[in-house]
Amino acid sequence: MQDFYNILPLILVASGIVISVVIEILSDNSEKILPWFSALVLLSASVYSIMLMNNTGTIFNGMLATGGNVYIFHFIFTIGAMLIILGSIDYIKKYGSYFGEYYILILNAVLGMMIMASARDLFMVFIGLELMSICFYVLAGINRKKLNANEASLKYVLLGAFASGFVVYGIALIYGTAQTTSIDKIIAGFVPLSHNILFITGLFLFLVGFSFKIAAFPFHQWVPDVYQGSATTISGLMSTGGKAAAFSVLIILLSAVAPSNANVFRPYFAVIATLSMIYGSIVAISQNNLKRMLAYSSIAHAGYMSIGLASGNYESIAGIIFYLAAYTFMNIGAFIVISMIEGENDSKLQLSDYVGLNAKNPKLAALMALFMFALSGLPPFAGFFGKYYVFISAIEANLTWLAIVGVISSVISVYFYLRVIVLMYFKEPETSVAVHNSNYGVLAAVISALFVIVFGLFPGTLLDLITSFLK
Amino acid sequence: MNIIPIEYYLVLSAFMFAVGITGVLIRKNAIVVFMCIELMLNSANLALVTFSSYLGNAAGQVFVFFVMTVAAAESAVGLAIIIAIFRNKLTVNIDEINIFKW
């Protein structure tokens, strides 16, 4: 029974899904009940993931891990998805997909992310990955009458399934050479295995599959199209929760090499980090569509986080988790603000629609400015410390050049983030049509903003917590 | 009785995987691309069953059931999406599905 108590956040979300399906069947206005019900489920799961944080260990014959950093990830996923649901309440009416299953699919995707973060067995990694991805394929195209959404979900399903093929083949080769699928056993026998060419091939295929999911450079082609074509709130969830879940798996694998200094992944991650940072930052400059700009910025952020994977020490793992927590809240906030400004039929997403926003709606302009400052990595917001910890870990791992590339690309990226702020505050609007905001959306954005500010003002508290679980 | 060496199976599965990747990269019809992805998943299944049988470890065969289930779910969703796009655009050619450009 202790096992079931320790895994309560997962059980809460899973039973929430079952009850949601029943509500959807029995109730005529499920689309009014389900957002509140699913937000409540996610909130209670996040509360329990904080309460059970000290119950570290593995359960169900070493299939899932509980407590510690795993529950920090669970907290990020559940709170992030709750904010997305709050932001969706008014948005999906405007978007034209006012269905109850929207919320059920979000809950399912969150369950998949939680399984991925908990997984200590390659099978569980695969199950969680597919549960999350398949829900995202459907969510990307939730409005089946929109050609944009159709195209986004087709591209996502084809490239996502392609990446899953790599992951499964990688798992097959790892299983064949290591003779086990338990991640802990693979890590224990890692040093002799790392001379086996078949094992390294399997690991490489596995990493390629996950590089798709974190949206790193050579595997990024789907990212801009999918984020632009999907519903804005869903893009917010995909770019944060999906990325964090994939990173949580990579971090577990990385802890295999963290104590020793034999990081066999270093060249791979150093290359994809460099390319993602530079490519994401430079291409984002030429974008006029805000969602597309944030998609390229998400590629750049995957690059910054991959610096941590390349350096591969305990500081870098703590840095990545901190960065993911910070990135989740600032990016979800930014996407929720965009979703409130967005008009019908994917209109009002261009930079020109943000000209003089301060005069039209000062609340939204202030929130957007805060998230743009945080994303660009200016202190005292959380984004600054995320980058700072990752860069410091790279310097400690003798990868100073990688940290320098990171700083240069951050400087480039300041340009396109601050351009939005300049347009909102220092340009006169051509028309004076007021921009309306949804109260729930503002609430969600304000909560994200609070997290961004608190993590930025007291970064040590969260970092010490993460570090204490790593030792 | 001679048993077939493990290499034969592994080479076959690697070949199937390569055919799948090539198909995904060069074919233009979304449904054919989807079939190639299924080929990739099934090559992994073949490798899993082979290892499982030669190692005397049942875990691999159990995993194959999970992979098959997930592949079925994935193709159900994928084909539904392809139908949705066909209704709107009357084509499933990937080259013609190109609204988004930078």
Side-chain angles (χ1 to χ4, degrees):
Chain A
M1 282 312 289
Q2 186 63 33
D3 278 9
F4 286 100
Y5 179 66
N6 284 344
I7 201 74
L8 204 57
L10 267 169
I11 292 182
L12 277 172
V13 176
S15 34
I17 293 166
V18 176
I19 298 170
S20 308
V21 174
V22 176
I23 294 176
E24 169 73 22
I25 294 169
L26 295 182
S27 166
D28 287 336
N29 50 0
S30 59
E31 60 276 358
K32 290 203 182 72
I33 305 168
L34 277 178
W36 299 109
F37 178 74
S38 41
L40 190 71
V41 166
L42 290 168
L43 187 66
S44 55
S46 67
V47 169
Y48 271 103
S49 56
I50 292 179
M51 280 172 56
L52 298 172
M53 206 163 264
N54 289 319
N55 296 14
T56 48
T58 56
I59 56 166
F60 300 143
N61 288 325
M63 280 280 176
L64 295 173
T66 61
N69 285 326
V70 168
Y71 278 15
I72 291 181
F73 274 114
H74 286 192
F75 179 76
I76 298 174
F77 300 147
T78 45
I79 287 289
M82 193 198 77
L83 297 174
I84 287 292
I85 283 176
L86 279 181
S88 305
I89 292 175
D90 288 326
Y91 174 74
I92 60 168
K93 282 183 213 163
K94 181 167 69 184
Y95 187 70
S97 54
Y98 194 41
F99 312 125
E101 57 262 40
Y102 175 87
Y103 301 102
I104 303 176
L105 285 166
I106 288 184
L107 281 181
N108 269 300
V110 171
L111 184 67
M113 295 171 200
M114 292 166 86
I115 293 176
M116 271 169 91
S118 274
R120 284 299 177 276
D121 193 289
L122 293 174
F123 295 177
M124 294 310 289
V125 170
F126 177 69
I127 299 296
L129 176 72
E130 289 303 311
L131 183 53
M132 178 190 87
S133 304
I134 292 176
C135 293
F136 276 156
Y137 305 150
V138 181
L139 280 170
I142 187 89
N143 189 339
R144 62 174 187 279
K145 298 203 172 95
K146 279 194 178 177
L147 198 50
N148 278 0
N150 289 157
E151 179 170 336
S153 69
L154 181 71
K155 286 187 174 165
Y156 198 16
V157 76
L158 288 181
L159 286 170
F162 187 51
S164 305
F166 281 95
V167 172
V168 182
Y169 203 77
I171 291 178
L173 291 184
I174 293 173
Y175 165 70
T177 45
Q179 311 203 359
T180 175
T181 52
S182 153
I183 291 178
D184 292 332
K185 283 182 193 154
I186 294 171
I187 287 173
F190 191 82
V191 178
L193 276 172
S194 61
H195 301 295
N196 187 329
I197 185 74
L198 214 52
F199 178 76
I200 293 296
T201 314
L203 205 55
F204 179 71
L205 290 174
F206 189 82
L207 290 182
V208 167
F210 271 88
S211 307
F212 268 100
K213 302 287 173 189
I214 64 170
F217 170 67
F219 318 107
H220 67 281
Q221 291 91 341
W222 59 274
V223 182
D225 295 355
V226 171
Y227 289 6
Q228 188 187 346
S230 315
T232 310
T233 43
I234 294 305
S235 309
L237 189 62
M238 285 191 293
S239 62
T240 56
K243 196 192 286 283
F247 265 105
S248 71
V249 174
L250 292 176
I251 285 170
I252 304 167
L253 285 177
L254 192 70
S255 60
V257 286
S260 67
N261 219 352
N263 190 347
V264 289
F265 313 120
R266 177 170 289 176
Y268 177 78
F269 283 122
V271 168
I272 68 165
T274 316
L275 295 175
S276 314
M277 288 186 297
I278 302 281
Y279 177 84
S281 307
I282 290 178
V283 179
I285 292 176
S286 65
Q287 300 305 321
N288 282 321
N289 184 306
L290 260 244
K291 276 160 87 176
R292 208 165 172 83
M293 188 194 93
L294 281 184
Y296 282 105
S297 111
S298 137
I299 296 172
H301 280 281
Y304 300 129
M305 293 171 202
S306 304
I307 294 181
L309 295 176
S311 30
N313 43 33
Y314 283 127
E315 290 81 4
S316 75
I317 297 177
I320 296 172
I321 299 178
F322 184 91
Y323 199 143
L324 283 168
Y327 178 72
T328 301
F329 291 111
M330 51 204 192
N331 214 30
I332 282 183
F335 270 105
I336 286 177
V337 175
I338 293 175
S339 80
M340 283 188 275
I341 295 167
E342 184 180 332
E344 287 182 5
N345 287 326
D346 294 345
S347 60
K348 296 196 180 170
L349 286 169
Q350 304 296 319
L351 273 176
S352 53
D353 297 313
Y354 285 72
V355 172
L357 185 66
N358 187 39
K360 296 176 187 167
N361 192 330
K363 257 188 293 186
L364 291 186
L367 284 166
M368 192 66 182
L370 187 144
F371 295 127
M372 288 295 126
F373 274 126
L375 280 168
S376 63
L378 293 177
F381 300 111
F384 169 73
F385 289 99
K387 278 183 188 162
Y388 174 76
Y389 292 135
V390 172
F391 292 164
I392 288 290
S393 77
I395 292 170
E396 277 180 18
N398 290 324
L399 284 170
T400 315
W401 65 272
L402 200 53
I404 292 172
V405 175
V407 172
I408 292 172
S409 100
S410 313
V411 172
I412 299 173
S413 70
V414 167
Y415 171 74
F416 60 84
Y417 291 124
L418 292 197
R419 184 173 55 181
V420 179
I421 298 174
V422 170
L423 286 179
M424 287 192 305
Y425 280 92
F426 303 114
K427 283 235 172 143
E428 290 301 315
E430 288 159 6
T431 57
S432 58
V433 185
V435 174
H436 295 289
N437 55 268
S438 108
N439 288 332
Y440 302 127
V442 169
L443 176 68
V446 166
I447 297 174
S448 324
L450 283 180
F451 274 109
V452 172
I453 293 170
V454 169
F455 288 165
L457 292 180
F458 310 103
T461 322
L462 179 62
L463 195 78
D464 290 346
L465 186 69
I466 298 168
T467 316
S468 71
F469 289 129
L470 280 174
K471 295 291 154 65
Chain B
M1 192 183 107
N2 292 330
I3 56 167
I4 301 172
I6 185 168
E7 288 82 6
Y8 286 33
Y9 291 105
L10 292 183
V11 168
L12 175 64
S13 108
F15 177 71
M16 278 166 68
F17 189 68
V19 170
I21 293 180
T22 320
V24 171
L25 295 179
I26 63 170
R27 296 307 295 261
K28 300 298 174 206
N29 186 312
I31 294 175
V32 178
V33 171
F34 225 85
M35 284 157 59
C36 294
I37 289 169
E38 293 297 307
L39 198 58
M40 287 168 71
L41 291 174
N42 282 325
S43 74
N45 282 352
L46 180 62
L48 279 165
V49 174
T50 311
F51 283 127
S52 172
S53 156
Y54 277 80
L55 297 173
N57 179 332
Q61 299 186 20
V62 176
F63 188 44
V64 169
F65 279 102
F66 283 95
V67 176
M68 276 165 21
T69 320
V70 165
E74 215 163 43
S75 26
V77 167
L79 290 176
I81 289 169
I82 292 174
I83 289 173
I85 205 162
F86 185 76
R87 283 194 179 147
N88 279 335
K89 198 152 178 165
L90 296 180
T91 178
V92 289
N93 188 330
I94 293 176
D95 285 347
E96 292 170 34
I97 300 168
N98 55 1
I99 310 172
F100 299 124
K101 293 208 185 79
W102 71 303

